[in-house]
Amino acid sequence: MSSEKIAENARLLGGEDVDVSNNRVPPPEASVLKGPSRLKALQAVAHSVAFDEDQNIKTPKNNAFWNQEMGRIQYFICKILLVGMYLVFGSFRYLQYEYNAMKLRVWNVIYNPSNTPQLIRQDVTKLDKIPHRLAAILEMKSAGSVGGGAKGLMNDGSEVVCWTVSAGIKHLILYDFDGILKKNVLEFREEIRAKLSKYFGPSNVPKFALRIPHKNKVYFSNDDSDKVSLEISLLSNRDGRQTIVDLTKTMAELTKSKELKAEDITMRLMDKELTQLVGPEPDLLLYFGPSLDLQGFPPWHLRLTEFHWEQDNNQVAYSIFIRGLHKYSNCKINVGK
Amino acid sequence: MRVPGFVRSRIIAPSDPAAAEVSSKVLKQIYPIIDKIVSWLRAFQLFIKLQQLLQNLLINILAAGPVPQHISFIMDGNRRFAKKMNMPVKRGHEAGGVTLLSLCYVLKKMGVRCVSAYAFSIENFNRPPEEVNALTNMFAVKLDEFARKANDYRDPLYQSRLKIVGDHSLISEEMREKIKRVEEMTNDGDEFTLFICFPYTSRNDIWHATQTSVEECVQQSLEPRALTVEEFNKKMYLNDYSHKCDLLIRTSGHLRLSDYMLWQVHESGDIKFSPTLWPDFKFFQLYLMILNWSFFTTIQRYIFHGSKKSQSKPAFWNRKKSSKYSLEDLPAAPVAVSITGERDPS
């Protein structure tokens, strides 16, 4: 049984495009800081005194033999103290947020690349090593805000593409939860081309290829497909858990029809299949949000990936990109040591 | 506009090693003094009592709010700790074990249902054999200790369940027997579960789940296409707690997951990294992280529920819905007369 055939079957199975569940609960810090509002926070804290939203939260029932359960009055006092603590912590966190926002603004002025590939390359040549494959998690902001909507997302994506080309990295993985980039590939390709011609001049736009591993399709920037300087893979939530389950289904079907032996399902085979279905694992993952939120990035591929994000940052900025590369060049990789 | 090169290059490097050196030198001078003061204070029984009281109070306070269900640790930095303190590597691992146990006391008291810890990676078999042996032996001793504690009604860890998860085909027969025995001994506790991942990697976990699903399909002749993500979840090592890990804490400053809890954390887990080495990771640092989680969860739940949940407000809050009448309930409008003298037929 060739590995290509398994991957092909899994793709066919996935072709029935199961609707990805949209009820993901993001990690609390990241989700709150995406649209920070002091008023909402205060309301929430005040609300938590008076009403127990979660009836199933139990008072610590630890070892009833020794510590008795918390009494009502004790529970009430604790609740009040908790709210006090929230207020102190919240105001501290607010100051920290403002400080970080200021710091990021200063960085953005200092690191401003102003659409010049030479400067980006200059920054990169100082580094000892750069990642072979870079991944970035992008997200769509609400359509009403500045740089929001699908258009804003594509703009962010093409910006990252330009930096990556200028830095000399050959592979880029762009991940967005809903797969908006995937759905609008052709538009996105035009957007990238326009951005690249701004950086490199319209006469010598670097060649690139857009890959959608899930559908096994490649879109080239020009008609001829030789010598692309950047390969971009577009991933979405679909490529995460669901793909692994699809692969399992395929393998189960093949085992049932005796085309595959159960002993042949090894880690190596899984890895090979998932590399075909999703792509190789990235070395560095950039996230342009306020607090690390992996958003369902394919789990198999996160194994040893370095993460980089800046606390309380909320925009796709060059400073995050270059600082991520800096950090990567300084980190030591040791498996199992 | 371009900032001059020398300014740029000064700021561009994220952290200047020389500056870090200076500040760490200062800290190195301060830390022993603090340590000395604390150890001097520890000599008094009263101080210890006070410390315990305060800790209990803090735990109770946090327990009144939302608390994560499942906390996971990557215990990194034991060896560096040993090196720093000029101790043999083995002692570093021992110190790490003590830290884990003391944090378990705290978390159990807080109402956390499940704690998991990365004790030994499959990749760790590449380490020198003496260290692997020492680790395994120490682990065996710790297992007994934990089992004794879980069965002792005087201990705070009474009635907690211990599960050793991972690829057990890689460890010796003797060890497997022991693990089985200990798991049976602690099987009746259901308030608190401690998962120790011993030889574990997340990829191995996913692969193992795939394999069992395939085998189950073939043996019970199930329809392969009916497999869902939820069913797949249940086949993983951490069965009930596989779908979600609320808070993952990694110590000693590396910003990667190192093949741990990938499946559990990649959708909605909060991941926190701490620069301290694991044996130095104490109550207070953990406390701040959980406070942070609890604070943001409170707000998140409020924003999430607030929009659709109004019945949780007390009765007097809901004023009469004065504007919510249907059209038919309104009193009849006067007769409509047009300027051309046209009237409604009525």
Side-chain angles (χ1 to χ4, degrees), chain A residues 107 111 308 310 319-327, chain B residues 12 14:
Chain A
W107 280 348
Y111 290 107
H308 179 76
E310 293 289 346
S319 56
I320 314 294
F321 178 81
I322 193 70
R323 286 177 65 84
L325 292 187
H326 263 287
K327 218 189 240 170
Chain B
I12 212 161

Side-chain angles (χ1 to χ4, degrees), chain A residues 271-301:
Chain A
D271 191 38
K272 218 163 145 192
E273 297 306 327
L274 284 169
T275 311
Q276 287 221 0
L277 283 168
V278 182
E281 61 180 307
D283 303 307
L284 174 67
L285 177 75
L286 297 175
Y287 177 57
F288 297 96
S291 165
L292 189 61
D293 172 9
L294 295 174
Q295 306 204 355
F297 194 90
W300 188 269
H301 299 80

